[in-house]
Structures are given as structure tokens and as C-alpha cells.
Amino acid sequence: MLTATATVSPSAIVPFSYSSTRSLSFTLVPRFNIRPRFTSLQLCASSSSSPMIEKETMEAERPHTFLREADENSFNSSNSVRLRFERMIREAQDSVCSAIEALDGDGKFKEDVWSRPGGGGGISRVLQDGAVWEKAGVNVSVVYGVMPPEAYRAAKPSDDGHVKPGPVPFFAAGISSVLHPKNPFAPTLHFNYRYFETDSPKDAPGAPRQWWFGGGTDLTPAYIFEEDVKHFHSVQKSACDKFNSDFYPKFKKWCDDYFYIKHRGERRGLGGIFFDDLNTYDQEMLLSFASECTNSVIPAYIPIMERRKDMPFTESHKSWQQLRRGRYVEFNLVYDRGTTFGLKTGGRIESILVSLPLTARWEYDHQPEEGSEEWKLLDACINPKEWI
């Protein structure tokens, strides 16, 4: 799942997963987790393929911006994509955390604010062992760094897989979140949205100069309630249709294909939307689109949680949820681009791995009974459906 604290997946620049993607944790999480996950980092070029990174500094207060002073001065206008994207993700972090705490009624987010000496930083928030959520993480990060070619390939593979030697300076910002409920009838949610830029300085011949948006929102239940899944996908489609009627079918399929656990032959969950390396449309439109998708998280998810959080369940239901959580772990650690990017570039580990559930389970050769509710979920993960 660039994730956040920046899971720079370039799918995720936020320390997760994230989700997302290449995540920046952004799991920058960019799948940030992103995935988020974005990963904040300052890499120093060397002859070694292993990057050196400046350690984060914990801060007592949140700064008004994580942009470097030079960027803030030169970009501080209504036209600054960096500034507006950072503002959007920080506002989204506040609104999502407020909605989670209000519904939980007991748990409160622990917040860590951190910065890098070379610029950038992030805000990591985690609610653990609450009344409703076993673990909920919502991270944002703004990251400056220089990555070696192998990390750039993890972030954004080229068509032919070839990148010329040379360090690649980058900027990444993103939000990445994974929400794991306690009740097995309540679904896990992941979302990660990120913005990523690379530069081509004089001392890095061949490094491409690019910008792109990435991200997505996907649902991972242990049990299927069709009204829930249809509601979730309807909100995603509504957000997409405001910009382009082709977006939902395209990004829905992309999501099904991305969250695929190859060694299991099944998807992680029941999908949603996912996109990456998106720069073939107007930049202003894509900024608005990413904002719309991010702001759609609460109306897509909270109504489902209100219906499912207090449903009675058995130990058997809980065991199945834990087995599906095991699948979640397998995908994030093996395939998620954001997590991979964060680990390759030395991102903040707590932010990158915050996407993992508090508990999970692996049983030897577990096979649900055909026709059971558990079997129906597994069948839908193997054979993706059109929910709306």
C-alpha cells in the first residue's frame, strides 16, 4: 500500500501504503502509504547504491508549512501546486481524524510531528486499540530528497525499465491512511493521494524532469454486504464523473489489477479506484480531481462503519477477519510500490509500516467451505465484480 508520513510511493508518498501505490508515507505512502504512503528524506549521493539519509527531528509544534523557505517564497501564490496540495492534504487529515474520533467515541489519535534538516517533514497520527478501530493511521508528508536510480525505478518505472545513472532530486507530498476496525463485519479502508516531481540538475544527466499525481481509495472487507460495497463504489464513481466519465471504469480496473496478490491469485479486497503517474491531463484539473477524491473518503466510509461497528460476531468471524488481514500484510510487504520505495530510500519506518494491522493470522492451507459467506468474499477477490 507513495504513503506519510510520506509514503513516497510515488504511489504513495505517505508513509504507508501509501495504499497507495507507490506510496509515499506517504508510506511517499508516494503507494506514498504512499502509503501513502510519502517518505520524507534527504539522500546523499555516493558511489554506493545504498542511500544515506538525514534522520528526522521530532518537533513540538506543527509548522504552518513544510515547504522549504525558498519554495515558500517563490511558490507562495494562488498558482503554487505544491502549496495548495499541502494545504489540501493537511485539511483532509484534520477532517478524517475528527470523523474517526467522533465515531470511535473512545480512542484518540497520537500525533508525531517531524522535520528533516534538509527540508520537508510530516505529521503522523495513529489511533490504536480504540472502541471501534483496532488501528487507524492518517499521515501526511512533504518530502525533499535525492534518490538513486534504483529507487527512482521503484517509484516510477520507465517504459523500457532503463534509467541513466545519476541521483534524481525529487519533491513529494501526500496523505496516506489505513483504517482497521475491530468488528469483522466492518471493512478496512485505505486511501492515499500524492503529488510528485523530479528535477534534472546539471550533475544528473539523463534524469527526467516530470510531475504526476497518484492515489486511490479502496475497500477491504472480511464479509460482503452488497449495499455497503455499492455505496462505496457509487461515491468513487460520483467523484470521478465530475471530471471525466472514463475515469471510474478505468481507475476501477486499475485498482483491481494493482491490489493483486500474485502468489495467491487473488485481490486484497473489493477494490475502488486507483491511478498513478497521471500527468496527461491539465495540472489544475488533476489537482481538483485529487482533492475531490480525498474529500470523498468520509462520505464513502463513515456511513458503512455506522451500520457495522456494533454488529454481534463470533470467534469464527474474528478468525476469518484475521486471515484476511494476513493477506493485507502480504500485499503491502511484497508488492506495494510505496512501501518498497520507502524502504529503499530509508524513510521513516514507523510511518511506512503504520499501514499494517495490529493483529493478523496465518493458518496452514485454510479453505473456506464452498457457498459460505467466507467463500463468497474469497470468490469476489479472485473474480472482481462490477458493483454498480
Side-chain angles (χ1 to χ4, degrees), residues 239-255:
C240 289
D241 286 352
K242 291 180 181 180
F243 297 87
N244 190 314
S245 60
D246 293 334
F247 277 4
Y248 174 74
K250 178 180 179 180
F251 298 156
K252 192 268 184 186
K253 183 180 186 304
W254 200 336
C255 187

Side-chain angles (χ1 to χ4, degrees), residues 84-364:
R84 285 181 291 157
F85 193 85
E86 182 196 19
R87 184 181 300 123
M88 183 276 286
I89 61 177
R90 291 184 63 172
E91 290 174 353
Q93 183 185 42
D94 289 342
S95 61
V96 170
C97 289
S98 294
I100 295 299
E101 286 187 347
L103 191 60
D104 191 277
D106 183 27
K108 298 294 181 183
F109 280 93
K110 177 184 184 295
E111 176 177 282
D112 288 327
V113 180
W114 50 273
S115 65
R116 299 279 184 191
I123 302 171
S124 302
R125 292 179 185 168
V126 179
L127 183 157
Q128 190 163 288
D129 203 19
V132 173
W133 275 277
E134 178 183 277
K135 189 179 181 185
V138 187
N139 297 346
V140 298
S141 64
V142 173
V143 179
Y144 295 88
V146 179
M147 55 181 147
E150 63 270 20
Y152 181 79
R153 287 193 293 271
K156 188 179 191 303
S158 60
D159 293 339
D160 61 3
H162 177 70
V163 177
K164 293 182 180 180
V168 183
F170 71 89
F171 168 87
I175 181 169
S176 181
S177 175
V178 178
L179 310 172
H180 293 295
K182 287 186 171 180
N183 194 305
F185 295 124
T188 286
L189 181 86
H190 160 259
F191 73 92
N192 175 291
Y193 292 96
R194 60 212 169 263
Y195 176 67
F196 193 88
E197 295 179 2
T198 62
D199 291 316
S200 181
K202 295 179 180 178
D203 61 347
R209 178 181 178 84
Q210 300 188 24
W211 62 264
W212 66 86
F213 289 87
T217 306
D218 63 281
L219 196 70
T220 306
Y223 290 91
I224 296 177
F225 294 91
E226 286 208 12
E227 64 175 314
D228 295 351
V229 186
K230 288 180 178 179
H231 167 78
F232 175 79
H233 278 270
S234 293
V235 175
Q236 308 313 307
K237 184 177 186 301
S238 177
C240 289
D241 286 352
K242 291 180 181 180
F243 297 87
N244 190 314
S245 60
D246 293 334
F247 277 4
Y248 174 74
K250 178 180 179 180
F251 298 156
K252 192 268 184 186
K253 183 180 186 304
W254 200 336
C255 187
D256 289 337
D257 292 342
Y258 178 80
F259 291 102
Y260 181 63
I261 308 172
K262 296 178 183 178
H263 61 273
R264 296 283 188 181
E266 64 191 63
R267 276 75 189 167
R268 189 177 74 177
L270 301 186
I273 59 172
F274 176 79
F275 57 90
D276 210 354
D277 310 334
L278 200 61
N279 61 5
T280 54
Y281 300 88
D282 177 75
Q283 191 177 41
E284 284 297 319
M285 185 272 270
L286 291 179
L287 175 60
S288 296
F289 174 57
S291 300
E292 179 71 25
C293 291
T294 304
N295 292 331
S296 296
V297 167
I298 292 175
Y301 185 56
I302 294 301
I304 297 174
M305 289 300 303
E306 290 173 336
R307 290 195 290 265
R308 307 303 169 197
K309 66 183 180 68
D310 296 319
M311 288 183 65
F313 60 87
T314 66
E315 284 300 316
S316 177
H317 295 137
K318 190 67 179 178
S319 293
W320 175 248
Q321 179 199 47
Q322 298 300 291
L323 287 170
R324 296 311 303 175
R325 293 266 175 85
R327 300 292 203 269
Y328 206 98
V329 172
E330 289 177 25
F331 176 84
N332 279 32
L333 293 183
V334 178
Y335 300 112
D336 186 75
R337 290 170 69 187
T339 301
T340 300
F341 182 89
L343 296 177
K344 282 181 178 291
T345 55
R348 186 171 185 263
I349 297 300
E350 291 302 318
S351 296
I352 296 170
L353 300 183
V354 73
S355 62
L356 301 184
L358 195 61
T359 60
R361 181 185 182 97
W362 285 266
E363 290 183 14
Y364 181 76

